[in-house]
């Protein structure tokens, strides 16, 4: 799987650790930066990474900023992006099972490396539930996306 990664200065260390894990699992990682801890603007990195997911150039995205919400807000502006903020593995499991999320956002200032790795592992290894009620709900959210969001070109 090809994974887009992005971060701001508060997420550099955690992103780098997650990147090593994803590559060890055989995933190809496209790192959109930033690459250091100098103050920067999150949207400069998350927007192009989310765009790569929206265009199908990457299968999923993992973004790390201070608390995760900035990344999710930016990413969710794009059609076809279903970004979630997770602070524990249970939420990561449900975000995939019930919502088929394609972007995971984490808060480098909120959670430590060990819990972040468990969140990523859970999110990467969980598939959407196939029961009709879950698929119906996922399709309803996709229909809202299709109705109100401009397709990415």
């Amino acid at each position: 799987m090809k994974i887009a990664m992005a971060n701001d200065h508060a997420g550099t260390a955690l992103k780098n650790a997650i990147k090593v894990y994803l590559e060890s699992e055989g995933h190809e990682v496209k790192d959109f930066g930033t690459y250091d801890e100098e103050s920067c603007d999150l949207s400069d990195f998350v927007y192009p990474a989310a765009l790569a997911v929206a265009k199908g150039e990457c299968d999923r995205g993992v973004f790390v900023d201070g608390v995760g919400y900035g990344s999710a807000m930016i990413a969710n502006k794009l059609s076809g992006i279903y970004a979630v903020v997770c602070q524990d593995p249970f939420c990561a499991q449900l975000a995939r099972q019930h919502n088929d999320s394609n972007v995971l956002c984490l808060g480098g200032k909120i959670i430590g490396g060990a819990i972040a790795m468990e969140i990523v592992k859970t999110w990467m290894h969980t598939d959407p539930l196939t029961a009709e009620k879950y698929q119906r709900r996922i399709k309803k959210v996709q229909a809202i996306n299709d109705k109100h969001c401009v397709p990415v070109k």
Side-chain angles (χ1 to χ4, degrees), residues 32-129:
F32 288 84
T34 191
Y35 308 104
D36 57 41
E37 295 180 356
E38 294 293 319
S39 182
C40 65
D41 296 332
L42 181 61
S43 57
D44 293 344
F45 307 99
V46 168
Y47 174 64
L51 196 56
V53 177
K55 288 181 174 182
E57 297 166 2
C58 293
D59 302 297
R60 292 192 199 170
V62 177
F63 307 156
V64 186
D65 63 52
V67 295
Y69 293 106
S71 291
M73 288 172 55
I74 295 162
N76 279 324
K77 298 294 182 200
L78 296 174
S79 179
I81 296 295
Y82 304 97
V84 295
V85 179
C86 295
Q87 296 174 346
D88 59 65
F90 180 68
C91 290
Q93 178 183 356
L94 293 180
R96 287 287 304 139
Q97 286 181 333
H98 292 203
N99 304 110
D100 195 13
S101 60
N102 59 359
V103 171
L104 173 65
C105 301
L106 300 168
K109 291 181 179 180
I110 304 296
I111 56 175
I115 193 76
M117 295 309 291
E118 290 305 313
I119 292 167
V120 171
K121 288 175 188 176
T122 300
W123 189 77
M124 288 298 298
H125 291 281
T126 302
D127 292 321
L129 293 172

Side-chain angles (χ1 to χ4, degrees), residues 9-49:
H9 51 281
T12 302
L14 184 55
K15 180 207 63 183
N16 289 338
I18 294 168
K19 180 178 177 181
V20 168
Y21 164 73
L22 291 172
E23 290 173 338
S24 77
E25 288 274 300
H27 300 290
E28 179 183 347
V29 174
K30 180 154 175 54
D31 188 345
F32 288 84
T34 191
Y35 308 104
D36 57 41
E37 295 180 356
E38 294 293 319
S39 182
C40 65
D41 296 332
L42 181 61
S43 57
D44 293 344
F45 307 99
V46 168
Y47 174 64

Side-chain angles (χ1 to χ4, degrees), residues 82 96-101 128-148:
Y82 304 97
R96 287 287 304 139
Q97 286 181 333
H98 292 203
N99 304 110
D100 195 13
S101 60
L129 293 172
T130 58
E132 189 275 330
K133 72 177 181 178
Y134 298 108
Q135 290 301 306
R136 181 183 71 243
R137 292 169 185 167
I138 289 169
K139 287 177 183 167
K140 285 183 177 184
V141 173
Q142 291 169 340
I144 293 166
N145 175 87
D146 295 346
K147 183 177 180 179
H148 296 286

